[in-house]
């Protein structure tokens, strides 16, 4: 449920380091399950600057609208435009086809990011 | 009783060539068609062809599937779905009102103007504020009017103000209104008791700090145009520090807007003008018993202080009183005051939704001041009766005292995989309209119940019984709840597909 090669935030975003100075960002399996069926994802434009913890988009489900918070500093280098036609991919494949943006990193990753085990423990505590 | 449960679209009932009305042959020369070619319809195939009885049956059947206040309790939290007294309709239908024209000369519609003026006076008294416009057509239109008044006030005073503070428990329309009026929105944290927090609040799960009113005011002081607050708030909790909130905003030169959507909990008991509010709207289609659609549009009058009065939309009805002799009945004339150079302009065609103003004033007169107060107290008692009866059956996430509505959630039922949506859908099987769900968003899986004063104890008991039965079913037969509603003409709607791939109109095959 929480792949070991990813890093996580307490706002339920995941981040994958691509090894070329960019990272891929999405929301976790826990987040998509809590939101329910995703019907719309609003993403930023390529080139937009992100700050760690700042909001960069919205994900809308049949139940609610939730903001997306950036897990890093940097500039948007790609967005997953397919989600416009296929918002269900966020539910079906949160870590794969459901990715949301790629970010060209500016500076180091925050030390606050969690590894898979720490995130799982956080989620288990929150859902109690 | 519907013998046939299915009803196709009117387009699907259509048979080419069938006609409902046989028009006589044209026996005068046809008028010259001056429309440009691209505006002319060349084919009428897209319009359904049905007989008159088919049309009547189709729409009658659809109307029977509708659910409204006249069929049963409609406990939609925040919406105040209360009874629309028939007396309101009778008065609004009097020919002197119903057949008058908005462009008629003042001298011919003195009664209409007197009615508008009288309602303005009632609303001033109820809100404790100095001036009223009846133009805005509903709550959000009232909000925008109010925030534009705040903006006009700052501009007239030569102050550049760019921010509006909004508590995170606010109605969703509040941030939208502020943004539409050109302001940047800054969120104010709520405390554990559900009300506006002066102190910063740390989220126990994430460790994130959300700023409270004190630090936001210190940080932004002379950038703050105002604060928008809903009182009682969307959890039904009275903002018990409202006077301090208003003072803190006033101290930095800001103004306070109150969303009066929940005014049904205050009328005759507390006046916003007395606790420091500068400007607010009221929803006549909530608090003053005018219909929510179906029977007509809404109305969202705005009341404000003397300082904001010059900016109100124009015109306002004013009353001139002729000086007369001792002991004689004073003679009043009413007129439109258009001479308001600082006005923000019009916010509605003519003078607002006049039909709603007639109904609202009828409601005021038929209750009187004491009756309006009694209605408020009964609305609060009714909501608290439900709260007391369902406590322990459904989880009450925030336990502060509440007024006219109560917010439960699905925490107890979630362990059986029964969620808010399932509970709401099952209520349909018990003959009740579901409450507001998944709102306010500060409560996970919210079930927001507002019975209003319209319901008798017997009706409240029937609702409580249904909710208790559903809680029992959640333990014993969760699958039934997943399938609910099972008795409605249509079963569980596929909301996901409807949102992802909406079909907005019928298309020919």
């Amino acid at each position: 449920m929480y792949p070991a090669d990813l890093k996580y935030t307490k706002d339920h975003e995941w981040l994958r380091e691509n090894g070329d100075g960019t990272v891929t960002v999405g929301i976790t399996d826990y987040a998509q399950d809590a939101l329910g069926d995703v019907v719309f994802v609003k993403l930023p434009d390529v080139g937009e600057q992100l700050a760690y913890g700042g909001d960069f988009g919205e994900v809308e489900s049949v139940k609610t609208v939730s903001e997306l918070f950036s897990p890093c500093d940097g500039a948007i280098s790609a967005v997953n435009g397919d989600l416009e036609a296929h918002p269900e991919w966020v539910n079906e494949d949160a870590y794969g086809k459901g990715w949301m943006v790629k970010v060209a990193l500016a500076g180091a990753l925050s030390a606050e990011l969690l590894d898979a085990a720490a995130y799982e423990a956080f989620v288990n505590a929150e859902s109690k | 009783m519907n013998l046939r449960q299915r009803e196709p679209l009117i387009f699907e009932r259509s048979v080419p060539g069938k006609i409902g009305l046989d028009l006589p042959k044209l026996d005068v020369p046809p008028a010259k068609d001056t429309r440009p070619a691209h505006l002319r319809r060349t084919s009428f195939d897209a319009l359904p062809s049905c007989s008159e009885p088919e049309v009547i049956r189709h729409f009658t059947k659809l109307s029977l599937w509708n659910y409204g206040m006249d069929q049963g309790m409609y406990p939609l939290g925040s919406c105040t779905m209360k009874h629309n007294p028939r007396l309101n309709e009778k008065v609004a239908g009097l020919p002197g009102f119903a057949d008058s024209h908005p462009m008629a000369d003042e001298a011919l519609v003195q009664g209409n103007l007197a009615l508008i003026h009288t309602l303005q006076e009632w609303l001033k008294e109820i809100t404790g504020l100095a001036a009223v416009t009846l133009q805005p057509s509903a709550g959000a239109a009232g909000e925008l009017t109010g925030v534009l008044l705040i903006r006009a006030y700052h501009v007239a005073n030569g102050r550049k103000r760019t921010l509006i503070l909004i508590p995170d428990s606010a109605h969703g329309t509040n941030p939208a209104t502020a943004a539409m009026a050109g302001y940047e929105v800054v969120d104010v944290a709520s405390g554990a008791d559900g009300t506006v927090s002066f102190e910063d609040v740390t989220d126990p799960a994430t460790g994130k700090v959300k700023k409270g009113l004190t630090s936001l005011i210190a940080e932004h002081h002379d950038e703050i145009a105002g604060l928008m607050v809903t009182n009682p708030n969307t959890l039904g909790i009275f903002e018990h520090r409202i006077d301090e909130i208003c003072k803190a905003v006033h101290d930095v030169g800001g103004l306070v807007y109150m969303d009066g959507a929940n005014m049904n909990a205050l009328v005759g008991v507390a006046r916003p003008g007395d606790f420091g509010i500068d400007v607010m709207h009221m929803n006549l289609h909530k608090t003053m018993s005018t219909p929510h659609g179906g029977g007509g549009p809404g109305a969202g009058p705005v009341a404000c202080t003397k300082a904001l009065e010059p900016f109100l939309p124009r015109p306002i009805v004013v009353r001139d009183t002729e000086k007369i002799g001792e002991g004689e009945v004073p003679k009043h004339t009413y007129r439109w005051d258009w001479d308001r150079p600082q006005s923000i302009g019009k916010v509605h065609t003519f003078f607002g939704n006049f039909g709603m103003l007639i109904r609202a004033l009828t409601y005021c007169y038929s209750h009187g001041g004491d009756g309006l107060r009694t209605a408020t107290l009964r609305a609060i008692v009714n909501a608290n009766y439900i709260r007391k009866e369902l406590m322990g059956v459904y989880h009450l996430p925030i336990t502060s005292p509440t007024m006219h509505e109560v917010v439960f959630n699905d925490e107890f039922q979630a362990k059986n995989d029964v969620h808010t949506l399932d509970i709401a859908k099952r209520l349909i099987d018990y003959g009740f309209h579901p409450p507001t769900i998944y709102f306010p968003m500060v409560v996970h899986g919210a079930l927001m119940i507002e019975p209003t004063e319209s319901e008798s104890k017997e009706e409240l008991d029937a609702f409580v019984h249904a909710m208790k039965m559903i809680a029992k079913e959640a333990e014993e037969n969760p699958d039934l709840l997943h399938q609910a509603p099972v008795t409605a003409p249509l079963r569980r709607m596929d909301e996901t597909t409807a949102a992802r791939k909406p079909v907005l109109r019928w298309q020919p095959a």
Side-chain angles (χ1 to χ4, degrees):
Chain A
M1 282 238 287
Y2 308 113
D5 60 327
L6 305 183
K7 291 193 162 64
Y8 301 87
T9 71
K10 288 181 176 177
D11 296 311
H12 311 290
E13 283 84 21
W14 57 261
L15 170 158
R16 176 183 290 120
E17 294 178 87
N18 299 323
D20 58 356
T22 69
V23 295
T24 303
V25 175
I27 65 169
T28 66
D29 188 63
Y30 174 80
Q32 70 76 18
D33 187 56
L35 283 168
D37 290 342
V38 172
V39 296
F40 182 68
V41 184
K42 187 181 172 198
L43 295 174
D45 294 326
V46 170
E48 243 174 74
Q49 296 292 324
L50 298 189
Y52 175 70
D55 63 283
F56 70 91
E58 279 173 3
V59 53
E60 184 178 338
S61 71
V62 286
K63 288 195 287 197
T64 190
V65 180
S66 201
E67 285 185 325
L68 298 165
F69 296 101
S70 176
C72 59
D73 296 321
I76 300 282
S77 62
V79 297
N80 186 355
D82 290 340
L83 293 184
E84 198 175 320
H86 297 286
E88 69 275 12
W89 288 355
V90 176
N91 297 112
E92 291 165 6
D93 191 9
Y95 304 110
K97 286 193 298 185
W99 70 274
M100 291 178 178
V101 295
K102 289 183 181 170
V103 183
L105 286 177
L109 289 175
S110 167
E112 291 174 8
L113 293 175
L114 307 174
D115 63 21
Y119 178 71
E120 189 167 3
F122 169 71
V123 163
N124 288 339
E126 195 179 52
S127 55
K128 248 175 212 148
Chain B
M1 177 80 192
N2 276 319
L3 297 179
R4 269 194 301 186
Q5 287 290 335
R6 292 277 159 213
E7 179 59 23
L9 297 176
I10 190 79
F11 296 100
E12 292 163 349
R13 275 181 171 270
S14 173
V15 175
K18 198 190 276 183
I19 47 170
L21 189 63
D22 194 6
L23 290 171
K25 252 202 164 62
L26 188 67
D27 58 0
V28 292
K32 193 173 173 229
D33 192 342
T34 55
R35 290 171 301 174
H38 71 280
L39 293 180
R40 282 184 219 174
R41 187 190 282 276
T42 52
S43 144
F44 286 88
D45 289 353
L47 294 177
S49 306
C50 299
S51 72
E52 183 169 311
E54 282 174 326
V55 172
I56 291 172
R57 285 174 190 163
H58 175 75
F59 288 106
T60 303
K61 187 171 258 188
L62 294 187
S63 77
L64 292 172
W65 288 356
N66 202 359
Y67 184 95
M69 268 304 290
D70 294 348
Q71 279 138 298
M73 188 169 159
Y74 206 131
L76 210 52
S78 189
C79 295
T80 313
M81 305 299 285
K82 65 196 215 180
H83 175 58
N84 309 137
R86 293 303 182 268
L87 181 62
N88 295 359
E89 301 306 318
K90 187 174 178 186
V91 175
L94 292 175
F97 292 131
D99 298 341
S100 59
H101 194 280
M103 289 173 81
D105 189 85
E106 280 172 1
L108 300 175
V109 288
Q110 281 292 301
N112 292 7
L113 268 62
L115 181 139
I116 291 175
H117 185 267
T118 309
L119 183 60
Q120 286 173 189
E121 295 301 308
W122 272 87
L123 297 185
K124 284 186 206 172
E125 175 65 26
I126 287 167
T127 58
L129 287 161
V132 167
T133 173
L134 302 176
Q135 265 187 40
S137 52
E143 285 177 43
L144 182 62
T145 304
V147 174
L148 290 175
L149 296 181
I150 292 177
R151 188 186 171 92
Y153 168 84
H154 288 307
V155 170
N157 285 288
R159 297 184 193 142
K160 187 183 175 192
R161 301 270 171 155
T162 55
L163 304 180
I164 296 267
L165 303 176
I166 302 184
D168 59 9
S169 64
H171 281 138
T173 49
N174 292 178
T177 296
M180 217 169 148
Y183 287 108
E184 197 180 316
V185 174
V186 178
D187 257 11
V188 186
S190 296
D193 69 351
T195 63
V196 172
S197 177
F198 281 71
E199 298 75 34
D200 293 354
V201 175
T202 307
D203 184 320
T206 63
K208 277 196 174 180
V209 178
K210 203 161 182 190
K211 285 181 182 158
L213 193 59
T214 305
S215 55
L216 287 171
I217 285 182
E219 186 180 334
H220 296 295
H221 51 103
D222 64 355
E223 297 169 297
I224 297 170
L227 174 137
M228 294 181 85
V229 62
T230 306
N231 194 23
N233 68 18
T234 51
L235 293 160
I237 302 168
F238 188 81
E239 290 286 350
H240 55 91
R241 295 174 78 181
I242 188 70
D243 51 342
E244 295 169 67
I245 294 170
C246 292
K247 186 174 183 309
V249 175
H250 289 157
D251 282 350
V252 293
L255 299 177
V256 180
Y257 184 89
M258 188 179 112
D259 182 324
N262 295 336
M263 198 63 195
N264 211 43
L266 298 185
V267 173
V269 177
R271 306 197 312 168
D274 295 341
F275 52 70
I277 300 301
D278 297 288
V279 49
M280 63 175 291
H281 80 265
M282 275 181 76
N283 306 71
L284 298 187
H285 47 286
K286 297 183 184 179
T287 315
M288 295 298 172
S289 78
T290 74
H292 285 68
V302 168
C304 66
T305 57
K306 201 88 201 147
L308 290 171
E309 185 179 9
F311 310 105
L312 281 176
R314 63 185 172 193
I316 301 281
V317 173
V318 292
R319 186 173 78 178
D320 301 320
T321 302
E322 202 176 293
K323 284 284 168 221
I324 43 145
E326 191 89 19
E328 288 182 71
V329 181
K331 186 172 182 290
H332 300 302
T333 33
Y334 298 87
R335 62 183 168 82
W336 295 113
D337 178 15
W338 287 91
D339 184 21
R340 307 179 63 81
Q342 288 186 289
S343 168
I344 60 166
K346 279 178 124 324
V347 298
H348 196 282
T349 50
F350 297 114
F351 319 111
N353 291 326
F354 180 63
M356 297 305 114
L357 310 182
I358 303 166
R359 289 170 174 86
L361 188 63
T362 305
Y363 179 79
C364 289
Y365 270 131
S366 59
H367 282 69
D370 57 337
L372 291 180
R373 179 184 162 86
T374 305
T376 301
L377 299 179
R378 288 198 181 148
I380 295 170
V381 167
N382 279 359
N384 278 279
Y385 181 72
I386 289 178
R387 172 177 159 140
K388 180 82 185 3
E389 289 293 308
L390 292 182
M391 241 159 83
V393 183
Y394 291 89
H395 179 58
L396 189 68
I398 295 175
T399 55
S400 301
T402 45
M403 299 187 79
H404 65 303
E405 60 197 7
V406 57
V407 180
F408 290 99
N409 75 3
D410 58 357
E411 195 174 311
F412 296 162
Q413 287 71 35
K415 60 178 191 294
N416 291 314
D417 197 30
V418 168
H419 299 279
T420 295
L421 185 69
D422 305 315
I423 297 164
K425 295 293 185 192
R426 185 61 177 155
L427 262 176
I428 296 172
D429 288 329
Y430 282 94
F432 292 97
H433 193 286
T436 300
I437 56 171
Y438 299 111
F439 182 85
M441 299 207 296
V442 286
V443 170
H444 186 83
L447 280 154
M448 186 194 203
I449 302 167
E450 179 182 7
T452 84
E453 69 277 15
S454 301
E455 303 308 328
S456 65
K457 179 170 178 296
E458 290 68 32
E459 196 65 21
L460 296 176
D461 283 334
F463 176 77
V464 164
H465 174 74
M467 288 294 283
K468 286 181 174 168
M469 290 299 288
I470 293 169
K472 198 159 167 257
E473 289 168 350
E475 300 276 341
E476 293 166 0
N477 191 0
D479 233 27
L480 175 64
L481 299 200
H482 296 148
Q483 288 166 26
V486 296
T487 58
L490 294 172
R491 300 285 298 276
R492 182 81 63 107
M493 296 285 134
D494 183 354
E495 292 175 33
T496 305
T497 304
R500 283 177 182 164
K501 298 188 166 49
V503 178
L504 301 178
R505 51 165 294 218
W506 175 84
Q507 300 279 2

